[in-house]
């Protein structure tokens, strides 16, 4: 049976409450075996609506599952997007408190800032023109599903693609000055490397995540507004955190960003 707008709202409320109470819920496809991706994005949008109604401001988008390492880990086969709000941002060098989250994990990313609106099928060159800067970024994921397990793309999409918090580096460089697909990335915890990859692990070239995002948005008749932050997706699998951890990501040419983990 097709889902109604009311179903979308109900499921969005369920996930929103789970997030606010840091409580796990079963994947939606347990009760809604037929959950088309289109409906999952509608649930995601309703969830964002609940947040903006409380005063949060949308400041960008995240791409997820843009690397082979992530798709393998989650056993899912295509990229997805989610929405970022101002409340999700941890300042560079700031503190991330585990309390209030369910089972958060951190992952190494690269982010872009756009200076003009992007819509539909665009070329890499158009994406390059529209991105005024690139920066180092880490995303803190949290899934509202039991044990961070879900078995379908619609589940993760409805849950805002597991997005939770993110941190951006303070060095912003024009992407044209960088060899975007050849940047060594290294994530360290307390000075010890836990993940490393080349930036090409992200969509073959992180800028292509922006191209893919625009295509996905166009399927819903949407565009990427000027002034958006875009997280291009993780280069490696995500890492669990414990209190006292100091997590730092360094991307050659873009500098470093760190976050301290507290209980
Ligand atoms: C989905 C989100 C993946 C990324 O960067 O690949 C993601 C998940 O892992 O739960 O954000
Ligand atoms: Mg991510």
């Amino acid at each position: 049976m097709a889902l109604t707008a009311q179903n979308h709202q109900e499921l969005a409320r369920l996930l929103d409450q789970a997030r606010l109470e840091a409580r796990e819920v079963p994947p939606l496809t347990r009760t809604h075996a037929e959950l088309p991706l289109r409906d999952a994005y509608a649930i995601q949008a309703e969830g964002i609506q609940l947040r903006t109604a409380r005063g949060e401001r949308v400041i960008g988008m995240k791409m997820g599952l843009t690397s082979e390492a992530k798709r393998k880990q989650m056993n899912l086969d295509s990229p997805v997007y989610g929405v970022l709000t101002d409340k999700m941002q941890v300042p560079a060098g700031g503190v991330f408190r585990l309390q209030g989250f369910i089972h958060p994990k951190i992952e190494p990313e690269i982010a872009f800032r756009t200076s003009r609106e992007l819509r539909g099928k665009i070329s890499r060159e158009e994406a390059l023109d529209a991105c005024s800067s690139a920066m180092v970024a880490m995303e803190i994921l949290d899934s509202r599903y039991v044990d961070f397990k879900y078995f379908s793309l619609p589940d993760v999409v409805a849950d805002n693609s597991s997005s939770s918090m993110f941190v951006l580096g303070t060095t912003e460089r024009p992407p044209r000055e960088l060899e975007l697909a050849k940047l060594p990335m290294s994530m360290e915890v307390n000075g010890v490397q836990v993940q490393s990859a080349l930036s090409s692990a992200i969509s073959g070239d992180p800028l292509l995540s922006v191209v893919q995002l625009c295509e996905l948005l166009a399927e819903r008749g949407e565009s990427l507004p000027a002034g958006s932050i875009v997280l291009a997706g993780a280069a490696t699998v995500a890492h669990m955190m414990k209190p006292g951890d100091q997590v730092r990501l360094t991307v050659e040419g873009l500098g470093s960003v760190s976050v301290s983990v507290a209980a």
Side-chain angles (χ1 to χ4, degrees), residues 92-114:
V95 177
F96 170 71
R97 289 187 196 286
L98 294 162
Q99 199 184 8
F101 295 85
I102 306 169
H103 30 215
K105 298 192 270 189
I106 192 160
E107 51 185 25
E109 305 217 4
I110 285 174
F112 297 100
R113 191 186 295 281
T114 65

Side-chain angles (χ1 to χ4, degrees), residues 134-156:
M135 64 214 104
V136 52
M138 290 189 284
E139 183 177 22
I140 297 172
L141 295 174
D142 201 9
S143 171
R144 274 47 74 168
Y145 299 127
V146 178
D147 296 335
F148 215 123
K149 285 202 185 108
Y150 40 78
F151 306 96
S152 74
L153 276 183
D155 279 321
V156 64

